[in-house]
Amino acid sequence: MEKKLEKKVLIASLIGSSIEWFDYFLYGTVAALVFNQMFFQSDDPAVGLMLAYASFALAFFIRPLGGVIFSHIGDRIGRKKTLVLTLSLMGGATVLMGFLPTYDNIGAAAPILLIVLRLIQGIGLGGEWGGALLLAVEYAPKERRGFFGSIPQMGVTIGMLLGTLALSIMTLLPEEAFLSWGWRVPFILSALLVIFGLWIRKGIDETPSFKKAQEKGEIAKIPFVETMRSHWKEVLIAVGAKVVETAPFYIFGTFIVSYATTQLGFSRTVTLNAVTIATIVTTILIPIMGKLSDKIGRKKLYVGGTVLMMLYAFPYFWLLHQNSALLLILATVLGLGIIWAPITAVLGTMFSEIFKSNVRYTGITLGYQIGAALAGGTAPLVATALLNAYDNSYVPVALYIMLAAAISLIAIASVRDRRNQDLDSETGGNTSLHTGLGQNHTDQKA
């Protein structure tokens, strides 16, 4: 592939992904700082916080629906057109959030409107990730597929970084100013990022894998039905593999904001700074881990990161409870910055390598979004509920992280390494799984 095209593809997959996740994480952080007071008012602060987190979790459950809708378009019409639609939908909902009146202004209509916009966000993001990933992976040379697949994964942390930085700046305002209008500024200004993202994606052609499927007449009539008929095992594997990538991420990046400030007495600025530093570290490490996976394989890196995540669950909370700002930063950097990086770096590429091209968008999207719905959006809510149920003991939350890691290790046990094979070769798709049943799926067509 030409260097110029290669660079353009990677920028296009990264930019859109970063914008989408910026919008998404902005909501997650503001939910813990503002929405629990301004939109979900309650006499009990813990109830208000849980309601705000519930609204955060709602979008995760709508994401699979968005994934089905947009992956259908992506597998039928093309990756490029889908990415324009998802970015427009997501961006529009985010900007409108910045203009919403609060509970004090319009009563119960305020949280209802906020939830509607949040659901629209979720539908848009449901289709965005798969398209951004495939834009990179399906253009990649086979010997660099791990690196290419890691680039859109950087969008997750860059988006989180942008959201955290924007709010860190806004929290420098007096409390009253931040609560009345300061939190709105990042939402409204995200419109500029969306326009830029749409402009970047305009010049990208359709991916080689999709063109090849078109030429062979292998476009699935109903991709969802075809996926569930011939690739349901791969979908289950992807769902399970997503668990350890998503649950600890939201513990380290979102739940920590409320936990450190309300339970441990840290300032909001120190906590946000810890997340910011960890996010910078993991953003740097993700492409490095992607390159490493091209040399040693995706599965080895993924398993290594998952085992470390399991071992780190209790030390993480122990570090937090030392009441040291330095150890708070260290704990967050170790968890979110270092241990999480190899897991997320290889996840998308690993997913892509177990699905055939005619259902790849649908397959990776279903696995990713269902896994995110079950383990991601619920993570801050589950962690908060566990704290309330067990007298603020962190032990159940640490066990929850360990359980997430165990589920994912079981899920990927049957996945084979395909780093040196062509993505669309006849040995691709679900033949990269070793199920022990001796099944041959190479003759499957749409």
Side-chain angles (χ1 to χ4, degrees):
M1 180 165 44
E2 293 178 15
K3 290 288 182 185
K4 190 176 179 181
L5 176 59
E6 180 179 304
K7 192 174 180 180
K8 200 172 185 181
V9 165
L10 291 178
I11 291 172
S13 67
L14 177 62
I15 290 290
S17 180
S18 299
I19 293 167
E20 296 277 3
W21 287 103
F22 165 74
D23 292 350
Y24 210 69
F25 287 128
L26 197 58
Y27 186 102
T29 309
V30 173
L33 300 176
V34 178
F35 293 160
N36 58 323
Q37 301 175 56
M38 308 299 286
F39 288 85
F40 301 98
Q41 294 184 353
S42 171
D43 293 334
D44 185 347
V47 173
L49 181 61
M50 288 184 69
L51 286 172
Y53 276 147
S55 71
F56 179 70
L58 270 178
F60 282 80
F61 290 99
I62 204 73
R63 271 165 61 174
L65 174 61
V68 169
I69 294 168
F70 288 111
S71 60
H72 176 88
I73 299 170
D75 276 331
R76 288 282 300 161
I77 300 171
R79 320 318 194 194
K80 179 185 171 180
K81 293 182 179 70
T82 311
L83 287 170
V84 171
L85 289 171
T86 56
L87 188 56
S88 303
L89 197 65
M90 183 91 181
T94 304
V95 173
L96 288 175
M97 283 180 185
F99 292 102
L100 272 185
T102 63
Y103 188 93
D104 287 340
N105 299 131
I106 58 172
I112 292 171
L113 289 172
L114 181 64
I115 287 169
V116 168
L117 291 176
R118 179 64 177 164
L119 292 176
I120 293 172
Q121 266 194 335
I123 289 173
L125 187 61
E128 163 65 25
W129 177 82
L133 179 76
L134 293 186
L135 189 64
V137 169
E138 291 186 344
Y139 264 109
K142 67 179 178 182
E143 68 277 3
R144 299 185 68 201
R145 196 157 59 227
F147 171 68
F148 271 60
S150 70
I151 297 300
Q153 292 298 88
M154 290 171 67
V156 178
T157 51
I158 289 174
M160 185 177 181
L161 181 62
L162 289 172
T164 307
L165 281 173
L167 283 171
S168 293
I169 293 168
M170 292 289 90
T171 53
L172 296 176
L173 292 167
E175 184 79 7
E176 190 177 335
F178 175 73
L179 289 175
S180 63
W181 61 268
W183 67 269
R184 298 178 183 274
V185 174
F187 284 86
I188 296 169
L189 290 183
S190 69
L192 299 176
L193 293 174
V194 173
I195 293 167
F196 178 64
L198 291 172
W199 175 72
I200 285 287
R201 284 182 171 176
K202 187 180 178 184
I204 299 294
D205 198 8
E206 196 47 77
T207 70
S209 290
F210 183 78
K211 285 181 176 179
K212 206 178 290 182
Q214 278 185 318
E215 289 167 7
K216 290 182 178 179
E218 292 183 343
I219 301 298
K221 290 181 180 178
I222 308 176
F224 175 78
V225 173
E226 175 65 16
T227 302
M228 298 313 293
R229 181 182 70 82
S230 62
H231 289 70
W232 61 271
K233 288 178 183 174
E234 288 81 349
V235 171
L236 288 178
I237 286 167
V239 170
K242 175 67 178 168
V243 172
V244 73
E245 192 257 4
T246 195
F249 177 82
Y250 286 102
I251 298 293
F252 298 150
T254 302
F255 167 74
I256 185 62
V257 176
S258 64
Y259 183 70
T261 53
T262 60
Q263 300 290 332
L264 304 179
F266 288 101
S267 72
R268 189 166 57 199
T269 303
V270 167
T271 307
L272 290 174
N273 285 342
V275 174
T276 301
I277 293 167
T279 306
I280 292 170
V281 172
T282 200
T283 303
I284 294 168
L285 282 180
I286 285 171
I288 294 171
M289 293 297 169
K291 278 187 176 180
L292 187 58
S293 79
D294 285 322
K295 294 180 180 178
I296 70 171
R298 328 298 175 214
K299 188 172 179 178
K300 285 180 183 176
L301 272 179
Y302 179 91
V303 169
T306 303
V307 170
L308 284 175
M309 186 69 75
M310 186 181 287
L311 295 174
Y312 183 62
F314 278 93
Y316 169 69
F317 283 100
W318 181 84
L319 286 169
L320 294 181
H321 278 258
Q322 301 311 300
N323 295 318
S324 162
L326 188 62
L327 290 180
L328 167 67
I329 293 169
L330 178 64
T332 310
V333 168
L334 284 174
L336 179 59
I338 296 173
I339 296 173
W340 184 75
I343 299 172
T344 196
V346 303
L347 192 77
T349 310
M350 198 164 64
F351 283 8
S352 301
E353 291 174 338
I354 64 174
F355 290 97
K356 290 182 68 177
S357 61
N358 63 342
V359 294
R360 188 173 292 136
Y361 202 141
T362 303
I364 66 171
T365 298
L366 283 174
Y368 189 92
Q369 303 302 353
I370 293 172
L374 294 176
T378 57
L381 185 61
V382 168
T384 304
L386 287 172
L387 285 176
N388 286 342
Y390 292 93
D391 297 322
N392 293 325
S393 169
Y394 65 76
V395 172
V397 185
L399 290 173
Y400 171 61
I401 293 173
M402 295 179 76
L403 176 63
I407 289 169
S408 292
L409 284 175
I410 293 167
I412 63 134
S414 61
V415 174
R416 286 177 176 169
D417 180 21
R418 290 196 62 231
R419 70 182 185 279
N420 294 320
Q421 296 178 24
D422 289 330
L423 187 62
D424 301 312
S425 67
E426 284 302 305
T427 54
N430 52 7
T431 54
S432 62
L433 301 181
H434 177 65
T435 61
L437 300 177
Q439 293 171 311
N440 187 346
H441 300 284
T442 56
D443 61 346
Q444 289 172 350
K445 300 291 180 184

